Amino acid sequence: MALGSNNEVNMKKTVFLGSIAVAGMTAGMGMADTLADVKARGELNCGVNTGLVGFAAPDANGNWAGFDIDLCKAVAAAVLGDPSKVKYVPTTGQTRFTALSSGEVDMLARNSTWTFSRDTDLKLDFAGVNYYDGQGFMVPKDLGVTSVKELDGATICIQTGTTTELNLADYFKANDLSYQPVNIDSNAEGEQQYMAGACDAYTTDISGLAATRAAFADPENHVILPEVVSKEPLGPAVRHGDNNWGDIVRWTLNALIAAEEYGVTSKNIEELVKSSDNPEVQRLLGVSGELGAMIGLDNEWAKRAIQASGNYGEIFAANIGEQTPIGLTRGLNAQWTQGGLLYAQPFR
Amino acid sequence: MSKTSTRDAAFFRETMLPPEPPPIREAGAVKWLRENLFSGPVNTLLTVLGLAIIWFLVSHFWDWFAHSVWNADSLAQCREIIAATWGEGARGACFAVIRERWHQYMFGFYPPSLYWRPLLAFGLLMVALAPILFSETQQIRRIVLVATTVATLLFMQVLGVPTAAFLLSAIVMIGATILAERHAGWLLIFSALYPLIGVFLLWGGTLWAPLMVLAGIGLGWLGWRLVGIVSPMLAVVAGILVTLIWWIGFTGEAAGDLQNLLPLGITSVQSEKFGGFLLAITIGVAGIALSLPIGIILALARRSDMFLVTSLAVIFIEFIRGVPLISLLFVASLLLNYFLPPGTDFDIILRVIIMVTVFAAAYMAEVIRGGLAALPKGQYEAADSLGLDYWKAQRLIILPQALKISIPGIVSTFIGMFKDTTLVTFVGLFDPLKGISDFVRANFAWKGIYWEPFIFTGAIFFIICFSMSRYSMYLERRLQRDNR
C-alpha cells in the first residue's frame, strides 16, 4: 500500500498543482522562517497519510502511530522539546504537496517518493530518505510463477494515476512482455479484486505487498516475486527556500540514523550522556561541541529527538519490523555497516 | 301475463341467503398474488425472474451474514472464531470492526468526553425544526419532541456521558418540550437562535463569540431604527451595513477582549477533530439550511426583468452547475490558501460548507425555477390585480405555490447533497464512507476488512435519506390543496 498512496499523483494534476505551487512559492518567499513560525505556534503541523498500515494510522482513541508519525514526533521533540506537540494533518495523494507549499503543513512525513520533478519542478526539498522501497508483484502460489518475466499476458491489478502504473508499463515494455491492466482505485479495492481472482497479479510497493499479504487469511498461498521494478526512496519533504528548516528536518532524521549506528537507544541514552567517550556520540548528544546553535536549536535537540520514539532501528522495529505483523526485514534499510543504504553524514 | 303473482310461482324464497364467501381465487392472499404478481404472462415472468434474483442473492450471501462475528479484536481473530464455530473454510462477516470503531464512524476524532455536545446539538436541531417541520397538529409536534428527547438521552446513556452534562442536557431537552406545549410561539425564537447554539455546542470556545454575533444583529436593528427616521430605504441599507461591518471587523476582537475580561466558555474543539457522520450531518444540515434561501433568491433573480440581475444569476448558476463538486472542493482546500494572506486560518469545514452550499444552491435555483414556471400565468396576474408589490406577491401568492410544486425536486437535491458530503474525503477530511474506513483499515488489526464498513455506513445513509424522502411525501400530502 505504501506505493499505492505513495505515487498516486495524476500526471496532469501534477503539472496543474505544480504551477500553483510555483505561484505560491513566489508569493511566500522572503518571509520563510518556518522555525520561528513553529516555535511561535508551539505546535508542529505535520502532513501525514490518511491511513497506511505501519506508516501512519490513528487507533481507536484517535492517537496517531506509525513509522512516519515517529519522525514527526522526533522533529517536534527537537524543535519544541515535546514529541506530543504535533498536529497531524491528513493529506491525500492529491493534496499533499499543495498543503506543504501553501504553508498548511511545516513538513511532510507521508511516504512520498523522492523524484527529480518533485524536487525541482514542485519546489520541494527532500530532507533525506527514511525508507527505501520499490515496486514488486504478488501472485497466488497456484499460478506457479516464480519471476515477473513469466507474467506475459497476465492481468495485473494496478492503481490508476500512480507512478506504479508508469513503472509497470516501462518494465513490461523494456522486457517485451504484454499485460492486461485491471484498474483499481485504492489498496483496499485492490486486495478485494486480487482475492476475488479478478487479476493474476497485484503490484504495488513491496512494503505494501508485505502488509497486504500478512493480512490475508492464507498468506502462505501467495508469493511476492523477487524482482523489484522501481526505486522508491521515501522521505520527509519541506518547502524549497527555507534552508534552515530543511537542515533541521534533515539532521533530525540523520540523528536517528546515526544513533542506531553508534548504539544510542532510548534506553541507554541518559547513561551515554554521562559515560560515552566516543567524541561523535558526545557531539550528537550535545555533551560537547555547539552543533545545536548552528541550526538555531539548543544543544540537546538530538537527544530529545532520539528519546521521542527511539533511534531509527527502534522506530523500524516497533512499527514495521519483523516482530510486527507486517514483518518487514531491514534489507536496503539496514545501516551501511550492515550492507544497507542508511548512511548518516558525520556529526562534526 | 299480468295475472302472474307470487302465488303462481313454483318457488319463492322468503328469506335472504347468507352471503357466500368469495371463490378462493378472488379472496385473500391468492387474490392479492393473482392481481399483483401473476396478472399476466409478462408479470408472471417478471415475478419468477425477481424471485430467482432474490434467491440467488440470499443463497450467496446468507451464510456470510449468518456467520457474523461481533466480538473480536482483529480480523484474524474473527477468522479464527468463524473457523472454530462453523468449520474450516466457512466465511462470515466481521462486524467486530464496527463494534470497536463505531464511535469513530459517528464522531471522528471528537473527544469522547465531549460526545454529549454533538448529541445535544442534534437533539436541539430537532427541537428547532419542530415548529417549522412538525407543526401540523400539536400532537405530531409533541410526539416528535418527546421521541427526540428520549432518543437523545438514551444515546447519552449508551455513550456514558458525564452526569453533569447528562443532567444539563436532560433539563434543556425537557424544558424545550414543555416550552413547546405552553408557548409554541417562543419555539420559533429558539429556531432563529439555533445556528449560534449549534455552532457553539459543536466547536465550543468562548461564549462571547455567539453573543457578539447577536450584538451585531442588535446594532443593525439600532441603525435601522435611527436612519429609519430619515428614509426607510436608506435604513435597510444602513442596518445591513452596520451588521456586516461589526461582524467582519469587530466581532472577533470584541469576543477576545471580553473573554480576557470575563472568561466564559467551554472546551474548544478544532475542525480537524470532526469526522464520520458528525461531519456529514454538520455539512449536510448547514448546506441544506443555507442553500434553500439562496436558491430561492437565485431563482427569482433568474426570472427577474432586470438585465443585470438576470445575467448575474444565469452566470452564477450555469458556472456552478457546469463544474464538478470535487473541483470546487479542491479550490476550497487548496487554491484559497494561495489567495488569502499568509497565516489566515480559514476553517476548512467552513470552506467546504460554503462550496457545498454554493453548489446545492445552483441546483436548487433551477428546481425552484421549474416550480415558478409551472405556475399558471393567471396567478401572477391575480397577484398584480390585487395591487400587491413584487415582494408581497412572491411571498403571499407565488412562492407558496411554486415551492409546493417543487417539493420532490427540492428534497431530491437535499438528498443528493447529503450523499455528496462523502466527497470531502478528497480534501483530507474524514467522511464516514471512505475517510474513516481508510484509516481503520490502516490499523493492521483491521486490514483486509472491506464490505462491513460499507454496509454499516450505507445502512445509516439509507435511514437518513429514506426519512427525508418519506417526510417529503408527507409534506406533499399535507399541502395538497387541489380538488380531488
Side-chain angles (χ1 to χ4, degrees):
Chain A
M1 168 135 166
L3 214 334
S5 325
N6 231 332
N7 299 324
E8 58 201 50
V9 168
N10 188 309
M11 285 299 127
K12 269 182 214 151
K13 218 164 256 160
T14 314
V15 174
F16 169 65
L17 296 179
S19 38
I20 304 170
V22 173
M25 280 316 297
T26 39
M29 241 177 271
M31 42 166 302
D33 188 356
T34 314
L35 177 60
D37 291 348
V38 172
K39 277 186 169 164
R41 205 187 301 127
E43 200 174 42
L44 173 74
N45 290 341
C46 200
V48 297
N49 199 308
T50 49
L52 177 60
V53 176
F55 285 81
D59 66 8
N61 301 317
N63 301 316
W64 288 83
F67 187 74
D68 281 339
I69 300 299
D70 284 343
L71 186 60
C72 299
K73 286 184 180 166
V75 173
V79 175
L80 299 166
D82 185 349
S84 67
K85 296 240 167 93
V86 188
K87 181 171 134 187
Y88 299 103
V89 181
T91 54
T92 67
Q94 281 82 29
T95 62
R96 53 182 164 177
F97 298 129
T98 345
L100 181 62
S101 38
S102 72
E104 201 181 330
V105 299
D106 304 313
M107 62 177 279
L108 269 188
R110 194 201 173 279
N111 54 292
S112 301
T113 308
W114 185 352
T115 67
F116 181 92
S117 58
R118 286 175 182 175
D119 205 344
T120 56
D121 189 34
L122 283 184
K123 299 269 186 266
L124 307 178
D125 268 357
F126 281 85
V129 175
N130 68 341
Y131 190 87
Y132 289 95
D133 216 333
Q135 185 175 344
F137 292 81
M138 178 165 64
V139 293
K141 216 169 228 172
D142 304 346
L143 208 61
V145 168
T146 53
S147 157
V148 179
K149 304 243 163 66
E150 296 167 34
L151 282 176
D152 195 14
T155 50
I156 296 176
C157 279
I158 175 91
Q159 275 192 27
T160 48
T162 69
T163 48
T164 37
E165 203 178 8
L166 307 176
N167 295 335
L168 177 70
D170 286 355
Y171 185 83
F172 272 62
K173 197 172 170 206
N175 287 288
D176 202 19
L177 303 169
S178 69
Y179 69 99
Q180 188 76 40
V182 175
N183 293 333
I184 53 167
D185 169 58
S186 67
N187 187 54
E189 196 194 324
E191 290 168 14
Q192 203 61 28
Q193 294 279 36
Y194 173 77
M195 290 305 281
C199 46
D200 301 322
Y202 178 41
T203 179
T204 184
D205 274 4
I206 299 264
S207 64
L209 286 180
T212 298
R213 195 177 84 117
F216 281 163
D218 54 345
E220 66 281 1
N221 292 335
H222 302 271
V223 285
I224 295 172
L225 299 176
E227 285 91 345
V228 177
V229 304
S230 74
K231 289 184 287 187
E232 308 286 349
L234 313 180
V238 296
R239 272 183 296 280
H240 191 86
D242 186 353
N243 295 6
N244 186 32
W245 178 249
D247 288 343
I248 289 174
V249 176
R250 171 176 307 112
W251 286 96
T252 304
L253 176 59
N254 273 342
L256 299 179
I257 295 173
E260 189 192 14
E261 185 181 345
Y262 301 125
V264 182
T265 68
S266 53
K267 309 263 178 339
N268 66 10
I269 190 164
E270 292 293 355
E271 204 177 305
L272 286 176
V273 166
K274 292 186 206 108
S275 66
S276 176
D277 44 12
N278 180 338
E280 179 117 1
V281 173
Q282 285 182 349
R283 281 194 296 273
L284 176 66
L285 299 181
V287 180
S288 66
E290 289 295 330
L291 294 188
M294 297 180 197
I295 53 171
L297 299 173
D298 64 315
N299 231 12
E300 293 203 322
W301 64 280
K303 184 187 157 206
R304 288 193 304 268
I306 298 163
Q307 275 173 326
S309 322
N311 65 32
Y312 182 91
E314 291 176 278
I315 292 174
F316 192 101
N319 293 301
I320 50 181
E322 287 178 280
Q323 302 305 314
T324 67
I326 304 165
L328 293 172
T329 53
R330 289 293 288 268
L332 288 179
N333 297 293
Q335 293 285 338
W336 64 284
T337 49
Q338 312 283 322
L341 292 175
L342 293 185
Y343 187 97
Q345 289 82 17
F347 279 77
R348 181 174 290 282
Chain B
M1 225 156 62
S2 61
K3 273 188 182 175
T4 315
S5 73
T6 51
R7 252 164 242 188
D8 303 329
F11 172 76
F12 183 74
R13 189 183 297 285
E14 303 212 318
T15 55
M16 286 290 281
L17 276 179
E20 284 284 329
I24 188 123
R25 293 172 52 195
E26 291 299 328
V30 180
K31 177 179 183 229
W32 187 88
L33 283 175
R34 260 170 57 84
E35 283 184 357
N36 291 291
L37 297 181
F38 301 101
S39 63
V42 179
N43 263 359
T44 308
L45 191 72
L46 287 178
T47 303
V48 171
L49 215 65
L51 285 175
I53 291 172
I54 291 173
W55 169 247
F56 175 82
L57 290 176
V58 169
S59 63
H60 274 73
F61 296 107
W62 173 247
D63 63 328
W64 189 76
F65 271 107
H67 298 175
S68 295
V69 173
W70 285 86
N71 283 307
D73 294 331
S74 69
L75 181 59
Q77 209 180 344
C78 267
R79 287 177 180 143
E80 276 170 29
I81 293 172
I82 290 165
T85 322
W86 288 282
E88 208 59 47
R91 54 187 198 149
C94 184
F95 285 108
V97 63
I98 305 298
R99 190 187 158 90
E100 189 189 292
R101 297 297 186 105
W102 72 278
H103 59 285
Q104 286 182 331
Y105 277 97
M106 290 297 156
F107 299 98
F109 298 133
Y110 209 87
S113 58
L114 300 178
Y115 278 169
W116 63 275
R117 274 164 42 181
L119 276 175
L120 183 61
F122 192 70
L124 289 179
L125 171 69
M126 295 304 281
V127 174
L129 289 177
I132 303 158
L133 296 184
F134 305 108
S135 281
E136 187 187 12
T137 63
Q138 200 174 3
Q139 199 186 354
I140 290 181
R141 191 173 59 213
R142 189 179 302 147
I143 292 171
V144 168
L145 285 181
V146 170
T148 308
T149 306
V150 170
T152 308
L153 296 180
L154 212 66
F155 266 113
M156 288 190 177
Q157 275 301 314
V158 171
L159 284 163
V161 304
T163 317
F166 180 78
L167 286 179
L168 175 78
S169 310
I171 292 169
V172 171
M173 290 301 295
I174 293 169
T177 311
I178 293 170
L179 182 74
E181 290 291 312
R182 295 279 168 80
H183 309 280
W186 291 12
L187 220 50
L188 275 171
I189 301 174
F190 177 79
S191 306
L193 288 177
Y194 179 76
L196 290 175
I197 299 173
V199 167
F200 177 63
L201 276 176
L202 288 177
W203 277 273
T206 166
L207 182 63
W208 291 110
L211 289 181
M212 286 302 106
V213 172
L214 273 184
I217 297 174
L219 284 175
W221 179 80
L222 207 67
W224 175 67
R225 285 305 290 264
L226 288 179
V227 183
I229 304 166
V230 187
S231 143
M233 189 61 199
L234 227 58
V236 176
V237 178
I240 293 173
L241 266 183
V242 167
T243 307
L244 284 182
I245 290 172
W246 172 262
W247 279 354
I248 295 169
F250 300 99
T251 306
E253 260 178 58
D257 290 347
L258 282 165
Q259 174 71 8
N260 289 337
L261 216 63
L262 175 64
L264 259 185
I266 50 179
T267 319
S268 163
V269 179
Q270 298 296 311
S271 279
E272 69 265 8
K273 301 278 182 203
F274 283 56
F277 280 101
L278 172 61
L279 180 71
I281 291 175
T282 305
I283 297 174
V285 167
I288 285 173
L290 293 171
S291 66
L292 186 59
I294 298 177
I296 291 174
I297 291 171
L298 280 174
L300 291 177
R302 191 165 182 174
R303 286 173 64 85
S304 158
D305 296 330
M306 290 179 273
F307 175 72
L308 191 65
V309 173
T310 316
S311 346
L312 283 178
V314 169
I315 291 170
F316 179 86
I317 293 171
E318 296 305 334
F319 174 73
I320 297 292
R321 282 206 309 170
V323 178
L325 179 56
I326 290 197
S327 55
L328 288 180
L329 290 176
F330 273 125
V331 167
S333 95
L334 303 176
L335 221 48
L336 276 182
N337 279 352
Y338 289 108
F339 297 143
L340 296 168
T344 318
D345 191 19
F346 192 6
D347 192 275
I348 177 76
I349 294 187
L350 185 62
R351 283 185 264 167
V352 166
I353 286 178
I354 291 173
M355 285 305 175
V356 168
T357 303
V358 162
F359 189 76
Y363 279 88
M364 192 61 68
E366 289 300 281
V367 167
I368 292 167
R369 193 169 68 94
L372 290 171
L375 213 56
K377 199 159 171 255
Q379 296 291 329
Y380 291 89
E381 286 165 353
D384 287 344
S385 69
L386 283 173
L388 298 176
D389 66 20
Y390 178 78
W391 289 110
K392 270 191 180 153
Q394 298 299 335
R395 187 162 59 85
L396 298 172
I397 307 223
I398 311 297
L399 280 179
Q401 301 184 68
L403 288 180
K404 195 194 84 184
I405 300 172
S406 322
I407 285 173
I410 291 175
V411 176
S412 285
T413 311
F414 285 165
I415 290 177
M417 199 205 79
F418 181 61
K419 289 189 292 185
D420 281 351
T421 58
T422 53
L423 292 177
V424 298
T425 185
F426 293 107
V427 295
L429 290 175
F430 288 109
D431 82 294
L433 199 63
K434 188 170 187 293
I436 302 278
S437 298
D438 270 359
F439 84 66
V440 167
R441 287 191 199 110
N443 196 307
F444 190 79
W446 302 116
K447 189 171 168 59
I449 285 275
Y450 192 72
W451 296 107
E452 292 86 345
F454 282 131
I455 291 172
F456 175 69
T457 39
I460 294 180
F461 266 111
F462 178 79
I463 291 171
I464 296 175
C465 294
F466 188 64
S467 318
M468 280 202 260
S469 150
R470 297 307 294 189
Y471 180 80
S472 102
M473 288 169 76
Y474 154 80
L475 201 61
E476 272 177 69
R477 271 199 310 279
R478 192 180 114 189
L479 296 179
Q480 193 119 43
R481 292 283 182 275
D482 317 352
N483 301 319
R484 267 162 290 182

